Amino acid sequence: MSTRTHSGHVVDQFGAQASAYVTSAVHAVGADLDRIGALVRGLQGASVLDLGCGGGHVAFAAAAAGASVTAYDLSAEMLAAVTAEAERRGLDRIETRQGAAEALPFPDAAFDAVLTRYSAHHWRDVPAALAEARRVLAPDGLFVVCDIVAPEEPLLDTHLQAVELLRDPSHVRDYRVSEWRAMLETAGLVPGDTRAYRPRMEFASWIARMRTPEVNVAAIRALQGSAPVEIAAHFAIEADGSFLLDSVLIEARPR
């Protein structure tokens, strides 16, 4: 039986693979990242928090758009990789801070924008993290969340959570869009424009990023192979295990 905490799982899973997330094509590009850059350019010299920064791609996009950025993550190795890549890109307006999303070491209303991408499905307590994000956001600020989401249909939702957890023991939940909207409202954030995307997960690199054990890989492939046609069709499961995910970008403002 594991004696690690959930935070320990997250650090173990992502710290050793920090450089892989900096270079990951899935994380480094995308229409959602372009949208984030455009939103930040419209804020003109904003102070931005990249919450759960991972490989730093939101931080890089925001800094390139003229913002001063604090990249915040649980993993010291991730933060070191972000610092190195920012220096390589000549981005000198990014600083890093380490900690959990549920306890932000910043004063109230410290940021013009709080942005998070492909991170929240690892947070132990998303409502607590959203309450903290609302606290550190300026009264007229912008909150943006982009993450993988579960379909509303339980059959599809259950399959997604199963393969995610088999791949990565630090996975908590890919929330449904309806769940995201409810959690944002509870935190005092009013959801606005919502954009949907369907990123393709190339199976070999998807499991390599998490160093998924072979026994778990076999279990994922068994689930895919035995999936009913509704699951196979929705996720567009390919012969090699590659498939499509659902993601959304939700823009929200303080109530």
Side-chain angles (χ1 to χ4, degrees):
M1 181 181 294
S2 174
T3 59
R4 287 177 294 176
T5 63
H6 175 67
S7 294
H9 267 303
V10 173
V11 171
D12 288 349
Q13 287 296 107
F14 288 92
Q17 294 296 94
S19 60
Y21 274 82
V22 171
T23 59
S24 165
V26 171
H27 296 81
V29 296
D32 55 342
L33 199 58
D34 295 340
R35 176 61 178 170
I36 288 170
L39 288 168
V40 173
R41 279 192 294 276
L43 299 178
Q44 299 183 348
S47 174
V48 168
L49 175 64
D50 180 2
L51 183 56
C53 67
H57 302 295
V58 166
F60 305 147
S68 298
V69 183
T70 299
Y72 185 80
D73 201 88
L74 197 58
S75 167
E77 291 87 352
M78 278 289 192
L79 295 174
V82 170
T83 297
E85 181 66 12
E87 291 175 356
R88 191 189 71 79
R89 297 187 186 201
L91 299 172
D92 59 2
R93 303 182 70 184
I94 298 176
E95 66 172 14
T96 61
R97 293 285 297 273
Q98 184 179 6
E102 296 87 351
L104 302 181
F106 309 109
D108 295 356
F111 298 98
D112 301 304
V114 176
L115 315 172
T116 184
R117 178 176 181 256
Y118 294 162
S119 177
H121 57 277
H122 297 288
W123 300 349
R124 182 173 176 177
D125 190 339
V126 170
L130 291 178
E132 278 287 86
R134 172 64 184 87
R135 179 184 65 78
V136 303
L137 186 62
D140 59 347
L142 171 68
F143 179 81
V144 176
V145 57
C146 180
D147 205 5
I148 302 302
V149 291
E152 296 289 334
E153 185 179 346
L155 174 70
L156 305 176
D157 185 336
T158 297
H159 175 85
L160 176 62
Q161 309 304 337
V163 299
E164 287 269 55
L165 188 59
L166 283 167
R167 177 209 179 216
D168 171 15
S170 73
H171 175 75
V172 176
R173 175 163 176 76
D174 294 322
Y175 294 91
R176 303 176 186 185
V177 173
S178 59
E179 291 174 312
W180 268 115
R181 295 184 69 86
M183 291 188 295
L184 289 167
E185 291 278 6
T186 298
L189 295 161
V190 180
D193 188 56
T194 301
R195 301 178 182 221
Y197 308 94
R198 297 216 78 198
R200 177 179 179 272
M201 299 296 109
E202 193 276 319
F203 191 81
S205 58
W206 181 67
I207 59 172
R209 279 195 299 276
M210 283 291 96
R211 299 166 297 151
T212 305
E214 283 300 320
V215 64
N216 290 36
V217 173
I220 293 169
R221 296 294 283 128
L223 282 177
Q224 291 179 324
S226 63
V229 292
E230 296 91 342
I231 289 174
H234 178 85
F235 294 105
I237 300 171
E238 301 173 29
D240 70 349
S242 300
F243 61 98
L244 299 182
L245 284 174
D246 299 287
S247 72
V248 298
L249 183 151
I250 304 174
E251 301 167 26
R253 300 276 183 176
R255 183 178 299 116

